Amino acid sequence: MQVSVETTEGLQRRLTITVPAESVDSAVKSRLQQLAKTQRINGFRPGKVPVSVIKKRYGTAVRQEVAGEVMQRNFYEAIMQEKITPAGMPTFELKSDKDGEDLEFVAAFEVYPEVEVKDVDKLAIEKPVVEIQDKDLEEMMVTLQKQHAEWKEVKRKAKKDDRVVIDFVGTIDGEEFEGGKAEDFTLELGKGRMIPGFEDNLVGAKKGEEVVADVTFPEDYHAEALKGKAASFAMTVKKVEGQSLPKVDDEFAKLFGVEEGGVEALQAEVKKNMQRELDQTLKSQLKENVIAALLEKNKLDLPQALVDQEVNALREQAKQRFEQQGQGQNLPELPADLFMDNAKRRVSVGLLLGEIIKKEELKPDAARVDALIESMASAYEDPNEVINYYKSNEELMQQMNNVALEEQAIDWIVSNAKTKEVKKKFDEVMNKQA
């Protein structure tokens, strides 16, 4: 086998490979002899068909089949010989394939870029630090109360977070339009669920009052006929409702599965959950800060094959999300442009972190892997069952090892960069995450 390597452009490579004729011809002859033993042709006894007859009937197809196998096999031998690592599957072009002559073909593919992680010691990274305060816990308890609140009619003006029941009629240039009218419509104020301006005059209104909302439909509104149109909604307030929060007591605690210890036990459980979610959010934010700084200092020439693979993975994830929401049927293939920037970012991050893991000879830390599994399992009713399931599944354990390695690479960057701790408030961090 003869091999020549050509760099065509950037990461693109072309291998021209020549395979001796005798290697190909002997493989074709052997395949034809095997066929002669199994084919049934009129005029010949089973297993006694001459190879010349088989070659006349099946020779072209057999040679094409053998040529495909020869190209695959010799390509892998060639890249091992030349110490080349392809970044994707090659495309083959058969140049010459005739009886008695050497087989020649070209394999075109991309290679991985040379990755050198630069200027880690110059990276400026912000590490958010948060302590859960008593008021944070109090606000979370109020949130839990609101989740179990009852709506009761109130005899006062409506305010933000109240609920109003209204009749309304919408007009454009004095004419009613389709879909612009409703009776006994319930609207929670302050949630921004209607078009801008619709709620404005409802805050401060009371039962029996009539108000008018002058609005403009957004240019991206779902109804084509209403996009960008100015409209007027005449509304009548039929009821104003406020939230009646449940009392925080032992019965309230039982609503969240806390059977013993009452309110104190509930608060302890809530704070533990808040801490777990906060820790995960802080870890994610630190990781994003590290990655943003890393990408800013390290621009890579990316193999399109890897980017395309990532686009397909992101597209499949999006499709699965739509299907889970019951919207997957008859969904057209989402265009690659939607995912291209994210795909390039993920490929760059993978190559850079992979280089750090390789250069620093990082290995998955068993204690970290266990902690990751335990943290994830703590959100389930029976954590031990989840932990045992993961530890008995080789594929899942490999995934957790990869997560641990990635975290270790991030930790290495943080310890070697210019990292500054910045104190932040709980709601500032968690609201940003939301």
Side-chain angles (χ1 to χ4, degrees):
M1 177 182 67
Q2 296 179 349
V3 181
S4 66
V5 184
E6 177 187 1
T7 299
T8 53
E9 182 181 355
L11 301 175
Q12 297 177 6
R13 301 289 184 271
R14 281 169 56 93
L15 291 185
T16 301
I17 301 173
T18 303
V19 183
E22 60 183 24
S23 176
V24 181
D25 292 345
S26 63
V28 171
K29 183 178 179 181
S30 175
R31 191 71 53 85
L32 291 172
Q33 289 173 340
Q34 292 174 9
L35 276 176
K37 297 176 181 179
T38 59
Q39 294 302 305
R40 292 179 176 273
I41 296 178
N42 291 337
F44 299 95
R45 287 182 296 165
K48 299 296 183 179
V49 181
V51 173
S52 58
V53 175
I54 294 295
K55 182 177 181 180
K56 185 176 181 181
R57 177 171 292 192
Y58 301 109
T60 301
V62 167
R63 191 165 188 90
Q64 288 176 348
E65 183 181 282
V66 169
E69 295 173 0
V70 167
M71 287 191 291
Q72 288 279 357
R73 183 172 64 253
N74 283 270
F75 169 73
Y76 288 112
E77 291 177 2
I79 61 175
M80 291 177 65
Q81 173 183 305
E82 302 297 324
K83 297 180 180 179
I84 297 173
T85 305
M89 295 301 295
T91 58
F92 293 129
E93 180 185 359
L94 191 58
K95 291 292 189 179
S96 176
D97 180 27
K98 296 179 181 179
D99 283 351
E101 297 182 8
D102 293 346
L103 182 147
E104 184 181 77
F105 69 97
V106 172
F109 55 93
E110 292 176 292
V111 295
Y112 285 89
E114 292 185 8
V115 180
E116 180 185 358
V117 183
K118 298 174 292 186
D119 299 329
V120 171
D121 60 332
K122 297 177 183 178
L123 300 182
I125 297 171
E126 181 181 288
K127 182 179 181 179
V129 178
V130 178
E131 288 186 12
I132 298 176
Q133 305 295 326
D134 290 343
K135 68 178 185 65
D136 298 320
L137 179 58
E138 290 170 6
E139 290 174 2
M140 185 60 69
M141 294 299 293
V142 171
T143 299
L144 296 180
Q145 284 179 278
K146 288 181 177 180
Q147 291 175 1
H148 290 80
E150 294 181 358
W151 291 100
K152 292 186 177 180
E153 186 171 2
V154 295
K155 298 184 182 298
R156 57 169 171 76
K157 293 180 179 180
K159 59 184 181 180
K160 184 183 176 183
D161 295 330
D162 279 348
R163 200 165 72 172
V164 293
V165 179
I166 59 174
D167 294 343
F168 65 81
V169 178
T171 57
I172 295 177
D173 297 329
E175 299 290 332
E176 294 185 22
F177 57 90
E178 185 178 354
K181 183 177 181 179
E183 294 182 354
D184 295 327
F185 183 80
T186 301
L187 176 63
E188 191 172 347
L189 301 177
K191 301 299 182 184
R193 292 171 181 163
M194 306 298 283
I195 61 176
F198 189 93
E199 297 181 16
D200 291 353
N201 292 333
L202 288 170
V203 176
K206 58 184 179 180
K207 181 179 179 180
E209 190 171 342
E210 294 182 356
V211 298
V212 176
D214 293 319
V215 302
T216 300
F217 283 94
E219 293 293 342
D220 59 351
Y221 194 67
H222 62 84
E224 188 68 33
L226 299 178
K227 290 181 177 180
K229 293 290 182 68
S232 180
F233 286 90
M235 299 181 282
T236 300
V237 180
K238 302 176 74 174
K239 187 189 296 186
V240 178
E241 297 177 324
Q243 284 187 325
S244 176
L245 302 181
K247 185 179 179 181
V248 179
D249 54 16
D250 290 355
E251 291 303 312
F252 180 74
K254 290 179 180 178
L255 294 175
F256 298 91
V258 179
E259 297 293 335
E260 297 180 0
V263 176
E264 288 187 5
L266 173 61
Q267 289 176 328
E269 185 65 25
V270 169
K271 188 170 184 178
K272 184 174 74 172
N273 291 337
M274 290 171 66
Q275 189 67 56
R276 184 181 66 245
E277 293 180 14
L278 174 62
D279 290 343
Q280 188 60 45
T281 300
L282 291 175
K283 183 190 292 185
S284 297
Q285 288 194 9
L286 177 59
K287 177 182 175 181
E288 284 303 307
N289 293 344
V290 168
I291 287 173
L294 189 65
L295 292 177
E296 182 65 26
K297 292 287 187 181
N298 295 271
K299 307 295 184 183
L300 298 179
D301 187 10
L302 303 178
Q304 190 59 43
L306 293 186
V307 175
D308 290 343
Q309 288 175 20
E310 200 62 44
V311 165
N312 290 334
L314 290 169
R315 181 189 279 134
E316 185 60 29
Q317 290 172 14
K319 181 182 176 182
Q320 290 175 2
R321 287 196 297 271
F322 278 117
E323 288 175 347
Q324 289 170 0
Q325 297 167 5
Q327 302 172 358
Q329 292 183 346
N330 302 319
L331 182 71
E333 184 170 80
L334 298 171
D337 288 349
L338 287 177
F339 310 101
M340 190 60 68
D341 289 345
N342 195 14
K344 289 180 178 178
R345 187 175 190 271
R346 288 173 60 156
V347 171
S348 295
V349 171
L351 291 172
L352 291 168
L353 294 184
E355 179 61 20
I356 290 172
I357 291 168
K358 175 184 173 183
K359 187 176 180 180
E360 299 302 317
E361 299 181 348
L362 301 179
K363 304 296 180 185
D365 180 71
R368 184 186 291 261
V369 173
D370 288 344
L372 284 168
I373 296 173
E374 289 169 7
S375 176
M376 180 201 58
S378 66
Y380 291 83
E381 185 176 348
D382 187 348
N384 286 331
E385 183 180 353
V386 177
I387 292 170
N388 292 334
Y389 177 72
Y390 262 75
K391 292 194 172 183
S392 64
N393 187 305
E394 186 176 339
E395 183 178 348
L396 290 176
M397 286 302 295
Q398 183 59 52
Q399 291 177 10
M400 299 310 292
N401 283 334
N402 292 339
V403 172
L405 267 179
E406 185 177 90
E407 287 191 0
Q408 289 170 236
I410 295 292
D411 288 349
W412 182 87
I413 296 172
V414 170
S415 64
N416 286 277
K418 296 178 179 178
T419 304
K420 179 182 179 182
E421 290 191 351
V422 179
K423 290 186 176 182
K424 294 192 175 184
K425 296 179 180 179
F426 177 82
D427 60 349
E428 178 186 3
V429 170
M430 298 307 290
N431 287 340
K432 180 181 178 181
Q433 179 72 6

